[in-house]
Amino acid sequence: MTKLFRSVFLAASLLLPPASAVLAQAPEQPQQAAPSTAQPTPAQAPAAPVQAPAEPSATPTEPLPPAAPQMGIAPPSAAHPALPSADAPTVPAPATVPAAATLPHDLSPWGMFMAADIVVKAVMIGLAFASLVTWTIWLAKALELAAAKTGARRALRRIEAADSLGEAARTVSGKDGKLRGAVGALLAAAQDETRRSADLGEDGTKERAAIALSRIEARAGRNMARGTGLLATIGSTAPFVGLFGTVWGIMNSFIGISQSKTTNLAVVAPGIAEALLATAIGLVAAIPAVIIYNVFARAITGYRATLSDASGEILRHLSRDLERRSRAAAAPARTPLQAVQPAAAMPRMPAE
């Protein structure tokens, strides 16, 4: 019996091929490739690669074929990426800020002035010059007006204390005997008109003197107001000039935004800051000009009021002098009295 089993086993081993040859000739199992562009889901987990052992003398294996479709849908691959869905929103790529569109290192007023456009620079320089002119006029006119008002008040007090026009002129004149200042010009005009009208009537003389004094007052007021008109011009136009520089700077900023195709603050901020600096300089030039002009207008009005008071006092002295002269001319010339000789004695008539 044992011999029978041995013979059967030997015959079977001769007829059947060895197991290694069967494994070498067997077709390789397909490998399910994982998508390269998407992560595998639990339903589509990649299968582990199965490699059959090959003999050293066997030829190298060919690349694996693509994975078989599952449930009628072919998985994406790196060679053929999946197309985007029509319903999926498209996200624009982030815009890159150019290297030149960065905030400047110096944001001080001088740095912004140097980085500004040529038109904005011209506006800033003009406004700075206007501000310098404003403060120069303030300094010069303040000193001139203070000296003129002080002299006019002192002369007015001396005229009020005098008794005649000639005495008033002597008290107001300087050490050299010359009349100076606006009040001195008023006294000189009154004396000149009195001299010219010595043989004319009183009413005409006073009228002509009043006209001359009024003209001197007006001329003194115009001379004192010289330069204040420029302050009014600067105060009214400087804000608009600064606004022009602001509009120009903002326009350049928007042009830079359109060219760089970005709304980053680093592109917008420098131009807007330079434009606002022009407006600030315009206000710095306009506000002091308006304030100084109003102060000078009130001061000049007070100065002209002082001259008007001095003119009134001069006309009063002139009227007194003319009346004294007329009375002196109307009085009759007195002659020395002659002694009256007594009459001769008449004889007495005897009584009847």
Side-chain angles (χ1 to χ4, degrees):
M1 191 66 179
T2 302
K3 294 180 179 181
L4 179 60
F5 278 113
R6 288 180 178 176
S7 60
V8 172
F9 182 75
L10 181 60
S13 61
L14 294 174
L15 293 176
L16 294 176
S20 60
V22 173
L23 293 176
Q25 296 177 2
E28 297 178 353
Q29 296 293 334
Q31 180 181 1
Q32 184 176 359
S36 60
T37 60
Q39 296 181 357
T41 58
Q44 298 180 357
V50 178
Q51 295 183 0
E55 295 181 357
S57 60
T59 59
T61 59
E62 298 179 356
L64 297 178
Q70 298 181 5
M71 300 182 66
I73 301 176
S77 61
H80 302 282
L83 296 177
S85 176
D87 299 334
T90 58
V91 180
T96 59
V97 180
T102 57
L103 283 172
H105 297 288
D106 188 7
L107 289 178
S108 63
W110 178 254
M112 289 187 290
F113 169 76
M114 296 304 297
D117 186 73
I118 183 63
V119 177
V120 182
K121 281 184 180 179
V123 170
M124 292 181 184
I125 292 173
L127 292 174
F129 180 74
S131 179
L132 179 62
V133 170
T134 298
W135 291 107
T136 303
I137 293 175
W138 169 77
L139 181 60
K141 193 60 64 175
L143 296 177
E144 180 183 1
L145 188 57
K149 290 179 69 175
T150 303
R153 289 172 182 173
R154 185 186 301 113
L156 177 60
R157 290 193 297 266
R158 293 178 180 177
I159 291 174
E160 290 174 350
D163 294 332
S164 63
L165 189 61
E167 183 181 355
R170 287 191 300 272
T171 57
V172 172
S173 61
K175 296 180 180 180
D176 55 355
K178 294 182 180 180
L179 296 172
R180 293 184 178 87
V183 179
L186 294 174
L187 286 169
Q191 288 181 334
D192 185 66
E193 186 61 34
T194 303
R195 181 180 56 80
R196 290 183 178 183
S197 304
D199 55 343
L200 299 177
E202 298 179 7
D203 295 336
T205 302
K206 289 187 288 187
E207 182 180 357
R208 288 187 292 272
I211 293 174
L213 296 181
S214 65
R215 290 299 86 204
I216 293 174
E217 291 178 22
R219 184 168 61 250
R222 286 194 303 268
N223 293 336
M224 191 57 61
R226 186 183 297 117
T228 57
L230 187 58
L231 293 177
T233 303
I234 293 174
S236 60
T237 59
F240 297 100
V241 175
L243 183 61
F244 168 72
T246 299
V247 171
W248 189 272
I250 292 177
M251 182 179 64
N252 289 337
S253 298
F254 280 110
I255 292 174
I257 292 172
S258 63
Q259 291 178 353
S260 60
K261 296 184 171 68
T262 179
T263 58
N264 196 323
L265 188 61
V267 178
V268 182
I272 296 179
E274 297 160 6
L276 295 178
L277 181 62
T279 301
I281 297 177
L283 295 177
V284 167
I287 293 175
V290 173
I291 295 175
I292 294 172
Y293 175 78
N294 293 332
V295 171
F296 281 164
R298 292 191 296 268
I300 292 172
T301 302
Y303 173 68
R304 295 190 64 176
T306 303
L307 295 182
S308 179
D309 294 340
S311 297
E313 291 295 328
I314 292 172
L315 288 176
R316 289 173 60 188
H317 286 306
L318 178 61
S319 178
R320 293 192 191 102
D321 292 346
L322 292 176
E323 188 173 354
R324 292 191 186 103
R325 188 176 66 180
S326 63
R327 286 188 177 183
R334 294 183 179 181
T335 60
L337 297 178
Q338 297 179 357
V340 179
Q341 297 180 357
M346 297 297 293
R348 292 183 180 183
M349 297 299 294
E352 296 180 351

